[in-house]
Amino acid sequence: VAAMGTRGLYVGRRAAALLAALLLVLLAALLTLAALYGRCRQEAPLSPTPSPSSSPPASRSPAAPPGGFPVAGPGRRLPLHLVPLHYDLELWPRVRPGQAGPFAFSGQVNITVRCRQDTNVVVLHSSGLRSRGAAAVRDAAVEVAGLRQEAGEVAVMELRGRLWAGRRYVLQLSFQGRLEEDLDGLFLTRYSDQGRSSMLIASQLEPTYARTVYPCFDEPALKATFSIRIVHDPSYVALSNMPAIDVSETKDDSGSLWTVTTFNTSLKMSTYLTAFVICDFDYVTTTKQGNEIRIWARKEAIKNGYVDYALNITGQIFSFLEDLLNVSYPLPKTDLVALPDFGIGGMENWGLITFHESSLMYLPSDKFTSRKALIALIVSHELGHQACDFFFFCLFKWFGNLVTMNWWNDLWLNEGLASYFEYLGAAFVEPTLSLDKIFYDHVVQPVLREDNEIGVRSLSEHEDKIKGSFSLMSLFDTITYNKGASVAWMLSGFLTEKLFIRALTSYLKEFSFSNANQDDLWTHIQMVVDAQDEVQLPASVKQIMDSWTCQNGFPVLTLNLTTGTVSQEQFLNKNYENSTGSYNNTWIIPISWMRNGSSQPLMWLDKSSKVFPEMQLSESEYDWILLNVNLSGYYRVNYDQLNLKRLACLLENDPKAIPAVSRFQLIDDLFALTQFGYTQIETALELTKYLAKEDELFIWNVVLLNLLPENLESTLRNYEVYPLLKKYLLKRMLPIYHYYAVFVLQNVNALEDDYFAQLYLEKLFATACWLGLQDCLNLSSELYAKWMDNPENKIPFLIRRTVCCYGVAVGSDKEWNFAWEMYNHSDTTKEDKDILLFAMSCAKESWLLYRYLQYGLSDTLFSSNCTSIIILYVMTKDIGHRIAWEFVTENWPLLSERYGKELLHDVLKVMGRFVNTDVQIQELQVFYNATLEENERVDTTLLLEFAQFENMEKRQLLIKIANWLKKNTDN
């Protein structure tokens, strides 16, 4: 809070911290934009493509204004003079095997349109394309006066007459463009297969890249049918959305022979779903319910059976979804293509689904990883690391292909519903997966961590907020995927899955091959609700659901169970003054609950506060209440102290009385409530006393992430809390550690289908070793020594990173040198190289770490991108951060030449963990003052001061934890 005193303006400490945090975000944003700018094409486009207009959103009136037309852009709308009915499209990428670049493509398109209102201009999308020859309008007695590129990624065809409403016309355009290697639009990518270098061409057109491939009406609501021809080298095969119906030959101007593949006419679909692949792949095939399914991949991958698992379950998924929704898949074939290089995990082009091959292939070496489950599951996860790294969501895109959102502001109707159904499908083909645990762990919990900041958008945005391609791309985020899926989960829960599926089936059938918005979905759900008596709602479906989709954030429920009062408020950080002052959002909240282990009827909170007499606790210490059972609602719960005390006692006596997902939720909610100032850390710690009886790895993982976050591990040994935490945690970890250690030593194969062991066993063992558990250190030494004696004695993949790290840490230069030797071995996989790169930073001898950093400077020993990784790995170790910092300062001229200021930013983030005093800030500042420009120095000072402030608060928190541990750790 800023206030004016008698001597001027002063700023409160928290306000200063918030300001510094904002500057930190700004600096990160500028770095991100700089990185994005660096990825932009270095050459000018073939035709002028000015920046998107910053003018207000275009009118939806089909009439063009006098002397011009509404300017459109990636996030703007075209005028509705004309609507497309059919595209006759030919694409000709001029690529031969082994050919050197630059590469180009040409094409022609005839677009049949219906005129809705008289007009003398044609406005459609085009970006980066150049016209070849004259444009024409067939079936019209008008000439084209000119074709020009305008701002906003549109082309304007000016006519010497008028097109009349109600009539059909055919727009004829020839074009050419560059074929880049940037993974957007129509792109070329290189790869290796069976020892030889190859190339392929593929497309990625969502959300607004179709206009970079051919002139079109590039909006999701403007659906049309497509007849596609691809001209290509005879040694390649061409794929598109529909089956090929003809293969012929043609010659170019020089007499060279090319193949022409013609595809059947498609059903109505949006431009972003058109797809093209030209490759030299092999495939495997099967047929399910008349639908031919082919999976295409590198010849080596097909030969070795890497896509067989995906093929086996794809047909099962199709059958499951068709039976569930009672909607038949409308296409005669489905091709799934595993691309060696692809910007996202998967893209749901209708009939031609493209994937990064890592999302589709199951290798024998993946046996002890979560790969099989992830292929069947593959939901997002690593938020911000890769936006669509999922496999089966693409199969569930009936929600985007059969029924498409009217505009991108309702993207969640595609992605959220698809993410929800992919979990049902994955559980169907992999029955051993625990759907509710995985859904909460992978989907709900990550988005609850993100959807609580001021400024985070709502699920369904107003159309006028979606401006520009950056805004469109930003919609493909955790809010759309995870929050969308979480809200769908909640909706299915209070409706019952039976009614939810019935409503979706009705929705899909009515809007097949057309477009809808979320209100259309609410209408169909309301119709189903009105037609039965079992489920009664406190308000209309629209009122309930708009409170979740049209407001940002989510609520926290606060309970006073002495009176039975439940109140709601938006979950925001209370540590900052006035952070919640102007936010009065309320939700209509379904409350599932249980009392003393028995499920109770669903309750609704439809205002800011309400008294539920049935929720009052009695005086009996065995009377307890649990809300949001199995995470049926998208909110957090803040219990009063009386109920929390009873829940803590219950967990110590009989943890299984509370469902596993609810135990996870209890712990996660309490630590989040602590972090955001709703309750004290001691309250959350009380709930950890029972952990010796906890046998669920996914619950242990959330405990460790909260108590031992990665950014604390490198500094925690310096605090009094470390020996106390060591004693407290190890006592509780031993049962689950020994349970899994037996499998690791005697029968690791038995863990092949333990999904959470594949994900989280590493974290458990790494924590045990970090806390100094001698059994863990001995196990690591033993397994590492066996590997050194015989490299065929592979360390179990589930804990390989930990074993290699602590094998090096407790060893000498002999163990380090062996890691170095294996890193350089020609047979070592990329995954194992990454593990060894990390493990070599675990050495406890300073001279080994310094030698490792010196190795990192060598161009002959490492690729250039490894140097910064090595520096940061060493810097995060408790004994390595000083060594790495001195190395950076000593070698900065060379490092600066290679990595520039991006490395400095990464170093600053890590070194900030160790900043506790003004002297330490000054030490860092001396170096940064000598290397940065003046304006950057100010930002750096603020960042360091903010890091110091955070560390002071962290110290205060650790003191509280230490005091609690002293009282609750047995002697």
Side-chain angles (χ1 to χ4, degrees):
V1 177
M4 185 67 71
T6 56
R7 298 188 179 181
L9 182 71
Y10 71 91
V11 180
R13 189 179 69 171
R14 292 193 182 278
L18 181 57
L19 175 63
L22 291 173
L23 286 168
L24 178 65
V25 172
L26 177 61
L27 181 60
L30 288 172
L31 287 165
T32 302
L33 288 172
L36 289 171
Y37 178 78
R39 291 178 56 198
C40 292
R41 300 178 184 178
Q42 299 300 310
E43 299 177 88
L46 288 169
S47 59
T49 310
S51 301
S53 168
S54 59
S55 59
S59 165
R60 294 304 289 154
S61 168
F69 58 92
V71 175
R76 308 290 178 84
R77 309 297 292 271
L78 290 175
L80 294 180
H81 309 82
L82 307 169
V83 292
L85 303 175
H86 179 74
Y87 292 79
D88 194 327
L89 173 64
E90 178 181 283
L91 288 177
W92 189 341
R94 310 288 176 140
V95 176
R96 299 286 196 184
Q99 175 186 344
F103 301 100
F105 66 91
S106 61
Q108 58 187 39
V109 63
N110 296 338
I111 310 174
T112 303
V113 298
R114 184 175 71 250
C115 184
R116 298 184 59 186
Q117 185 164 339
D118 299 355
T119 182
N120 60 1
V121 294
V122 173
V123 184
L124 70 167
H125 287 112
S126 176
S127 177
L129 300 173
R130 188 170 64 189
S131 176
R132 294 173 65 242
V137 179
R138 209 172 68 206
D139 304 324
V142 294
E143 296 180 356
V144 176
L147 177 66
R148 70 177 189 274
Q149 185 78 32
E150 288 281 354
E153 301 187 349
V154 295
V156 179
M157 189 186 296
E158 295 181 332
L159 308 177
R160 300 188 194 278
R162 300 187 72 79
L163 303 181
W164 303 103
R167 296 186 183 178
R168 294 190 179 192
Y169 302 93
V170 178
L171 313 177
Q172 298 179 317
L173 301 105
S174 297
F175 55 91
Q176 62 188 44
R178 284 183 179 156
L179 195 59
E180 305 282 5
E181 299 183 46
D182 56 3
L183 307 182
D184 290 324
L186 190 68
F187 62 88
L188 181 142
T189 185
R190 304 171 191 273
Y191 64 97
S192 178
D193 191 9
Q194 296 180 325
R196 65 182 183 88
S197 178
S198 299
M199 298 185 296
L200 65 80
I201 298 164
S203 63
Q204 166 55 30
L205 305 188
E206 188 181 36
T208 57
Y209 294 110
R211 65 192 66 176
T212 69
V213 181
Y214 57 97
C216 58
F217 296 83
D218 197 12
E219 296 187 9
L222 298 178
K223 292 186 174 183
T225 55
F226 289 79
S227 296
I228 294 172
R229 293 181 306 283
I230 298 178
V231 185
H232 56 93
D233 185 88
S235 65
Y236 291 138
V237 62
L239 304 171
S240 189
N241 305 82
M242 299 298 289
I245 57 172
D246 183 63
V247 178
S248 59
E249 294 180 345
T250 191
K251 293 183 178 179
D252 59 22
D253 294 339
S254 65
S256 297
L257 198 64
W258 297 79
T259 295
V260 182
T261 301
T262 303
F263 300 92
N264 208 348
T265 300
S266 75
L267 302 173
K268 284 178 66 177
M269 62 183 182
S270 305
T271 48
Y272 78 88
L273 292 171
T274 54
F276 324 99
V277 173
I278 303 168
C279 63
D280 182 25
F281 279 0
D282 280 347
Y283 68 90
V284 290
T285 185
T286 187
T287 300
K288 290 288 184 180
Q289 298 184 354
N291 178 26
E292 182 186 16
I293 299 168
R294 298 183 296 186
I295 298 188
W296 298 79
R298 291 177 292 113
K299 297 177 186 294
E300 182 178 25
I302 295 293
K303 179 181 178 182
N304 292 330
Y306 294 164
V307 297
D308 289 353
Y309 174 72
L311 181 69
N312 291 338
I313 63 175
T314 299
Q316 297 177 51
I317 293 280
F318 270 119
S319 299
F320 166 74
L321 196 60
E322 287 186 327
D323 293 342
L324 183 69
L325 295 174
N326 193 28
V327 177
S328 296
Y329 186 70
L331 301 184
K333 67 92 179 175
T334 299
D335 288 314
L336 290 75
V337 184
L339 300 174
D341 195 9
F342 197 40
I344 56 177
M347 175 60 203
E348 71 277 9
N349 316 298
W350 217 358
L352 180 57
I353 308 172
T354 45
F355 298 89
H356 192 287
E357 65 177 26
S358 63
S359 296
L360 205 59
M361 291 186 183
Y362 179 68
L363 282 62
S365 59
D366 293 328
K367 183 177 181 182
F368 298 110
T369 72
S370 57
R371 174 66 59 193
K372 181 185 285 188
L374 288 175
I375 289 176
L377 184 67
I378 272 187
V379 153
S380 138
H381 112 347
E382 288 192 346
L383 311 165
H385 192 47
Q386 288 190 5
C388 305
D389 196 20
F390 322 49
F391 170 36
F392 280 110
F393 89 115
C394 296
L395 297 182
F396 300 126
K397 286 311 176 74
W398 276 309
F399 293 105
N401 300 352
L402 195 59
V403 179
T404 309
M405 68 272 160
N406 272 324
W407 186 242
W408 298 103
N409 58 309
D410 274 335
L411 180 65
W412 85 271
L413 288 176
N414 283 25
E415 309 298 352
L417 288 172
S419 295
Y420 166 76
F421 273 99
E422 74 189 55
Y423 279 88
L424 298 185
F428 175 76
V429 297
E430 289 290 340
T432 58
L433 294 177
S434 179
L435 177 63
D436 56 345
K437 297 175 186 176
I438 293 173
F439 191 83
Y440 188 65
D441 184 72
H442 288 13
V443 180
V444 187
Q445 192 255 6
V447 74
L448 286 174
R449 290 276 168 179
E450 184 172 317
D451 190 23
N452 50 40
E453 300 293 337
I454 296 173
V456 172
R457 67 178 181 84
S458 61
L459 193 54
S460 179
E461 285 283 15
H462 291 294
E463 183 179 321
D464 59 5
K465 289 186 178 180
I466 311 302
K467 300 174 182 177
S469 57
F470 181 78
S471 292
L472 284 185
M473 293 307 298
S474 68
L475 292 176
F476 291 79
D477 64 358
T478 313
I479 299 298
T480 290
Y481 287 88
N482 289 30
K483 184 174 182 177
S486 302
V487 168
W489 178 280
M490 178 176 66
L491 177 59
S492 174
F494 71 73
L495 284 177
T496 72
E497 187 174 296
K498 180 179 71 173
L499 293 184
F500 185 47
I501 297 301
R502 188 182 301 168
L504 285 176
T505 301
S506 170
Y507 167 77
L508 288 173
K509 287 183 176 178
E510 175 161 338
F511 292 100
S512 291
F513 310 111
S514 62
N515 302 78
N517 58 36
Q518 68 172 20
D519 282 353
D520 296 316
L521 179 57
W522 305 154
T523 298
H524 279 262
I525 295 174
Q526 189 68 56
M527 289 163 49
V528 169
V529 170
D530 291 344
Q532 53 81 56
D533 298 320
E534 293 179 24
V535 175
Q536 299 297 319
L537 303 179
S540 70
V541 172
K542 176 176 170 55
Q543 287 175 305
I544 295 170
M545 296 311 299
D546 280 359
S547 75
W548 296 96
T549 62
C550 298
Q551 297 184 126
N552 65 317
F554 61 88
V556 54
L557 302 191
T558 299
L559 278 63
N560 180 340
L561 296 181
T562 303
T563 62
T565 303
V566 182
S567 59
Q568 63 165 295
E569 62 182 300
Q570 185 164 353
F571 185 69
L572 292 169
N573 197 331
K574 289 193 170 187
N575 292 315
Y576 296 122
E577 289 92 340
N578 298 326
S579 65
T580 61
S582 59
Y583 288 82
N584 57 0
N585 291 346
T586 57
W587 289 260
I588 303 177
I589 305 172
I591 304 176
S592 64
W593 63 296
M594 66 166 52
R595 185 175 202 136
N596 306 332
S598 299
S599 295
Q600 304 296 315
L602 186 73
M603 311 290 281
W604 288 88
L605 180 61
D606 54 4
K607 49 189 176 183
S608 60
S609 182
K610 195 173 182 179
V611 175
F612 297 94
E614 51 269 76
M615 287 189 182
Q616 288 179 302
L617 284 179
S618 69
E619 294 182 0
S620 169
E621 63 183 70
Y622 302 106
D623 189 19
W624 55 269
I625 282 176
L626 187 74
L627 266 62
N628 205 10
V629 180
N630 283 330
L631 195 78
S632 53
Y634 184 68
Y635 53 87
R636 293 196 185 276
V637 180
N638 184 16
Y639 294 99
D640 59 14
Q641 290 298 314
L642 175 62
N643 196 57
L644 276 176
K645 183 178 180 181
R646 293 181 183 180
L647 289 174
C649 290
L650 176 68
L651 286 171
E652 289 190 69
N653 294 321
D654 183 15
K656 300 292 185 182
I658 297 177
V661 170
S662 291
R663 299 200 300 276
F664 181 108
Q665 176 196 350
L666 265 173
I667 292 169
D668 189 54
D669 278 359
L670 269 174
F671 277 105
L673 289 163
T674 297
Q675 181 184 351
F676 276 55
Y678 288 82
T679 189
Q680 298 299 311
I681 184 63
E682 293 87 351
T683 302
L685 291 171
E686 286 292 333
L687 228 63
T688 66
K689 288 182 176 180
Y690 88 98
L691 284 171
K693 296 182 179 179
E694 183 55 74
D695 58 4
E696 293 278 4
L697 271 176
F698 83 111
I699 295 176
W700 265 104
N701 185 65
V702 78
V703 170
L704 297 177
L705 287 177
N706 279 289
L707 280 179
L708 301 172
E710 289 185 10
N711 62 355
L712 253 185
E713 286 188 5
S714 53
T715 59
L716 206 57
R717 289 179 186 271
N718 303 328
Y719 293 99
E720 178 191 15
V721 73
Y722 177 77
L724 298 167
L725 200 58
K726 172 180 178 178
K727 188 173 183 181
Y728 181 81
L729 271 182
L730 283 182
K731 178 180 178 181
R732 286 157 178 79
M733 285 178 65
L734 282 176
I736 192 168
Y737 169 84
H738 285 307
Y739 174 81
Y740 280 103
V742 170
F743 283 107
V744 168
L745 287 171
Q746 298 179 10
N747 186 20
V748 74
N749 288 343
L751 298 178
E752 181 180 354
D753 293 323
D754 187 333
Y755 177 72
F756 285 116
Q758 293 160 10
L759 288 184
Y760 299 139
L761 189 60
E762 185 90 67
K763 175 70 175 175
L764 184 80
F765 273 62
T767 302
C769 284
W770 179 81
L771 289 170
L773 180 63
Q774 196 59 48
D775 188 77
C776 184
L777 297 173
N778 292 343
L779 177 66
S780 297
S781 295
E782 179 185 340
L783 293 175
Y784 195 86
K786 286 181 178 178
W787 186 39
M788 289 177 64
D789 291 341
N790 180 3
E792 294 301 314
N793 293 327
K794 296 288 186 183
I795 299 168
F797 188 83
L798 295 176
I799 56 169
R800 190 172 296 169
R801 185 181 177 93
T802 296
V803 168
C804 287
C805 175
Y806 284 95
V808 169
V810 301
S812 63
D813 58 333
K814 178 183 176 183
E815 282 72 19
W816 195 98
N817 290 335
F818 179 75
W820 173 248
E821 177 189 339
M822 296 306 296
Y823 178 86
N824 290 288
H825 200 283
S826 59
D827 291 339
T828 302
T829 65
K830 181 183 181 301
E831 290 80 3
D832 282 341
K833 281 182 178 290
D834 292 341
I835 288 170
L836 291 167
L837 204 66
F838 169 78
M840 287 184 284
S841 72
C842 298
K844 297 298 184 184
E845 296 284 349
S846 299
W847 71 271
L848 282 174
L849 292 178
Y850 190 79
R851 185 180 73 176
Y852 187 31
L853 291 166
Q854 289 288 349
Y855 281 5
L857 282 180
S858 170
D859 288 333
T860 57
L861 297 178
F862 286 107
S863 61
S864 59
N865 63 325
C866 286
T867 308
S868 60
I869 296 172
I870 292 169
I871 292 171
L872 294 174
Y873 275 156
V874 173
M875 191 168 281
T876 55
K877 301 301 185 295
D878 50 359
I879 70 162
H881 76 277
R882 293 298 312 173
I883 298 168
W885 173 249
E886 291 170 5
F887 178 81
V888 168
T889 57
E890 291 170 4
N891 295 278
W892 179 244
L894 178 58
L895 292 171
S896 176
E897 183 180 336
R898 287 188 187 176
Y899 303 105
K901 292 169 184 174
E902 185 178 347
L903 176 60
L904 269 185
H905 182 259
D906 292 338
V907 166
L908 181 62
K909 285 194 295 187
V910 176
M911 288 301 295
R913 302 176 192 174
F914 302 92
V915 174
N916 292 306
T917 66
D918 292 336
V919 173
Q920 290 171 319
I921 286 184
Q922 289 166 9
E923 181 187 356
L924 292 174
Q925 198 65 55
V926 168
F927 173 72
Y928 279 93
N929 284 344
T931 55
L932 296 176
E933 301 296 330
E934 185 174 350
N935 60 324
E936 295 171 316
R937 295 174 199 163
V938 175
D939 292 339
T940 301
T941 301
L942 286 169
L943 292 174
L944 288 170
E945 289 176 352
F946 179 66
Q948 181 185 10
F949 168 78
E950 273 197 324
N951 291 340
M952 287 169 54
E953 291 214 326
K954 195 183 301 174
R955 254 201 329 273
Q956 295 301 315
L957 178 65
L958 292 176
I959 289 171
K960 289 183 179 180
I961 294 175
N963 289 336
W964 185 90
L965 288 171
K966 288 175 184 176
K967 299 173 185 175
N968 291 277
T969 303
D970 298 332
N971 295 325

